[in-house]
Amino acid sequence: MPDYRVHRLNLGRTAQLDALAHAAGQVYTRTLVFFWRTVRKKGIWLKPKHLMKLLPVDPDHLLHAHSVDAAIQSFFAGLASWRERRKADPNAKPPRRRKWYFKVEYKRSAMTLKDGQLRFSNGRGNDPLVLSWPWELPQTVVIRWTGQQYQAIATYQVDGPLRPAMPEPDVEQRRAKHVAGIDLGEVHMAVSHDGTHTHILNGRRLRAKRQYQNKLKEHLSKKIDRKKKGSQRRKKLIASKKKQLNTIKNQIKDIEHKQTTALISTLYQEGVQTVVIGNVKDIRQRMDVGSPNNQRLHQWSHGHTRHLLTYKAEHLGMEVVLQEEKYTSKTCPGCGHRKKSSPKGRNFACSTCRYHGHRDGVGARNIRYKYREEFGVPHVVAAMAPATGIRFRPHARVARAPRRENVCVGNCAEAAPL
């Protein structure tokens, strides 16, 4: 595969950029509405080439034809991502929200560079977008809104030989690295073990939010059902329900972000090189534990948690590996004895060697052993440090900048003994 490099340029905010972003949003919205209306009324799933013929230009005629095609392709890229994600997450939602503003993408055919000025064509009869450009002509440029200003992201293809495929590490290499195993759970978001330390993300706050979310849904739905359809009171209740549920949804996302940041920051400070995450993608398909537990199981956002842990660890230069976790919660890490059933409660007790430990900590430890090909082999675990809990800190910031060794950017959550 070819290598790419990226340059970013902050543009501020201008009326021309607002108009272009609004035009791109109109193209995206027309694509979304036309696609789902065709699916609903005709049962036909259109392809990008169909929409490019049916929607050749934006309503205001402000964009280059290739920029219009890029906005249409962005919708279908989201559709493809949804189809891939729903294999592991049945609750995944397809792209269905209209966009008032959207990113504007320019391809090389719409750009010219002369005397340090990069000129973007916006179609015949429209003023071009001109930027001061200190670099060479890029392959593509995407102009997006960062929340405070517009930013141009230019992509360049680096010429050169293809990078050789990285060979699989052998057993000695796996054992030589500082590896941490992570067990994902519904009670505790994640539990890690790196051979010496065990860290537990306290899931009490997140579970409380989930329970409140379910109760609020039931309470407001009953109130809405008692109102006459089409009445003003019913409409106000529906709007209030949407607003309250969106607030709780954002709070849940905030908890997940800050908890996973705290865990990855802790592992990074301890010098972990490889993060091995237990693979629980198919857990919903093979379990039926009753209606209340099934509800908690299907609301368990393990896919999102895995995604957060993955990109944050890779951002800090750590390798991330998915590991099959069969029998990891039933096997004793001390003597290797496998129990017939899963342990009850949160504690693991081995009847053979009398080992006692936290259930999720045992799972994380055995996930690490599986990656190192030491699973089921007796180990000396009595000298290991007790588990520590990482609590939710509401004012902790999610670190975004690269970190130097043994330095944590932002107010990272502290680890406190359970």
Side-chain angles (χ1 to χ4, degrees):
M1 295 178 61
D3 291 333
Y4 292 91
R5 57 185 172 89
V6 174
H7 288 307
R8 300 174 187 267
L9 181 66
N10 293 327
L11 307 178
R13 183 175 182 179
T14 64
Q16 185 183 24
L17 291 174
D18 281 339
L20 292 173
H22 178 59
Q26 287 184 300
V27 174
Y28 182 91
T29 299
R30 290 179 66 197
T31 303
L32 179 143
V33 171
F34 192 91
F35 178 87
W36 289 119
R37 186 175 294 165
T38 305
V39 172
R40 186 174 63 253
K41 294 187 176 182
K42 302 293 184 181
I44 300 174
W45 292 70
L46 300 174
K47 296 182 179 180
K49 61 181 181 180
H50 300 145
L51 271 299
M52 290 178 188
K53 292 180 180 179
L54 295 171
L55 306 174
V57 294
D58 62 288
D60 296 331
H61 301 273
L62 294 178
L63 297 175
H64 191 275
H66 290 174
S67 299
V68 174
D69 293 345
I72 296 173
Q73 290 166 352
S74 295
F75 168 77
F76 283 94
L79 202 63
S81 177
W82 163 67
R83 286 169 175 159
E84 183 65 27
R85 185 176 178 183
R86 69 175 179 175
K87 296 177 182 178
D89 183 6
N91 296 323
K93 302 296 183 182
R96 64 190 189 281
R97 294 187 181 276
R98 304 185 183 198
K99 305 287 186 182
W100 189 254
Y101 293 95
F102 196 64
K103 63 182 181 181
V104 184
E105 182 175 348
Y106 291 95
K107 300 181 181 180
R108 196 159 194 168
S109 57
M111 296 182 286
T112 55
L113 180 64
K114 185 177 181 180
D115 298 331
Q117 300 289 320
L118 186 60
R119 181 180 181 275
F120 300 93
S121 174
N122 292 318
R124 183 177 300 174
N126 297 319
D127 295 332
L129 176 65
V130 181
L131 303 176
S132 298
W133 201 256
W135 306 289
E136 63 271 20
L137 186 67
Q139 295 289 123
T140 61
V141 174
V142 176
I143 299 176
R144 67 182 184 94
W145 178 252
T146 64
Q148 298 178 343
Q149 62 179 333
Y150 287 98
Q151 184 182 64
I153 304 176
T155 305
Y156 296 84
Q157 182 174 340
V158 179
D159 298 328
L162 297 178
R163 291 176 294 179
M166 296 298 292
E168 284 289 327
D170 55 20
V171 178
E172 288 74 16
Q173 290 175 330
R174 292 182 179 183
R175 293 176 180 174
K177 288 184 178 180
H178 192 173
V179 178
I182 295 183
D183 181 47
L184 304 180
E186 190 272 327
V187 177
H188 299 297
M189 284 179 58
V191 179
S192 71
H193 179 76
D194 64 352
T196 304
H197 303 97
T198 301
H199 302 290
I200 302 173
L201 288 185
N202 193 314
R204 186 179 296 274
R205 180 75 173 178
L206 183 60
R207 296 188 83 200
K209 287 294 181 182
R210 293 277 188 203
Q211 291 172 2
Y212 179 66
Q213 183 184 45
N214 295 333
K215 290 181 179 179
L216 186 63
K217 282 182 181 179
E218 181 184 12
H219 174 69
L220 294 178
S221 297
K222 287 181 178 180
K223 292 185 68 174
I224 292 172
D225 292 340
R226 290 195 294 265
K227 303 302 177 183
K228 183 179 179 180
K229 292 186 177 180
S231 65
Q232 291 296 323
R233 183 58 181 160
R234 182 185 176 93
K235 292 179 180 178
K236 289 182 179 179
L237 283 172
I238 292 174
S240 176
K241 176 184 176 182
K242 182 178 179 181
K243 182 178 180 180
Q244 293 183 61
L245 291 180
N246 281 338
T247 300
I248 298 175
K249 182 180 178 181
N250 292 334
Q251 291 172 351
I252 289 174
K253 286 184 177 180
D254 181 66
I255 293 172
E256 292 175 337
H257 264 288
K258 289 175 180 176
Q259 287 282 68
T260 52
T261 296
L263 179 61
I264 293 299
S265 299
T266 302
L267 296 178
Y268 180 73
Q269 291 176 2
E270 293 175 354
V272 172
Q273 298 170 291
T274 303
V275 176
V276 184
I277 304 176
N279 189 357
V280 291
K281 289 183 178 180
D282 301 327
I283 191 171
R284 295 189 180 103
Q285 280 71 33
R286 63 176 186 264
M287 290 186 68
D288 185 4
V289 287
S291 179
N293 291 328
N294 283 342
Q295 182 187 43
R296 287 195 290 267
L297 189 65
H298 283 273
Q299 288 184 328
W300 173 24
S301 56
H302 57 80
H304 185 235
T305 303
R306 183 181 65 250
H307 168 70
L308 294 177
L309 292 170
T310 299
Y311 90 79
K312 291 176 183 181
E314 291 178 343
H315 177 69
L316 296 178
M318 292 185 280
E319 181 186 2
V320 179
V321 180
L322 283 181
Q323 177 64 54
E324 186 271 329
E325 60 165 18
K326 191 174 183 181
Y327 303 123
T328 53
S329 296
K330 300 179 182 180
T331 304
C332 175
C335 64
H337 171 71
R338 182 184 302 170
K339 303 180 70 172
K340 292 183 179 180
S341 60
S342 299
K344 296 181 180 179
R346 307 314 308 165
N347 293 320
F348 178 94
C350 179
S351 58
T352 303
C353 67
R354 305 301 179 183
Y355 168 79
H356 290 265
H358 193 280
R359 170 181 176 172
D360 296 333
V362 169
R365 185 174 290 158
N366 283 327
I367 288 172
R368 178 176 178 270
Y369 288 157
K370 269 201 170 185
Y371 174 76
R372 291 161 57 95
E373 298 189 14
E374 299 173 348
F375 182 60
V377 179
H379 296 84
V380 179
V381 296
M384 290 188 179
T388 60
I390 299 178
R391 295 173 181 156
F392 170 66
R393 307 292 185 187
H395 300 295
R397 294 180 296 174
V398 176
R400 301 185 185 278
R403 307 178 184 189
R404 295 173 296 177
E405 189 171 358
N406 296 328
V407 176
C408 180
V409 177
N411 299 324
C412 298
E414 299 177 356
L418 289 176

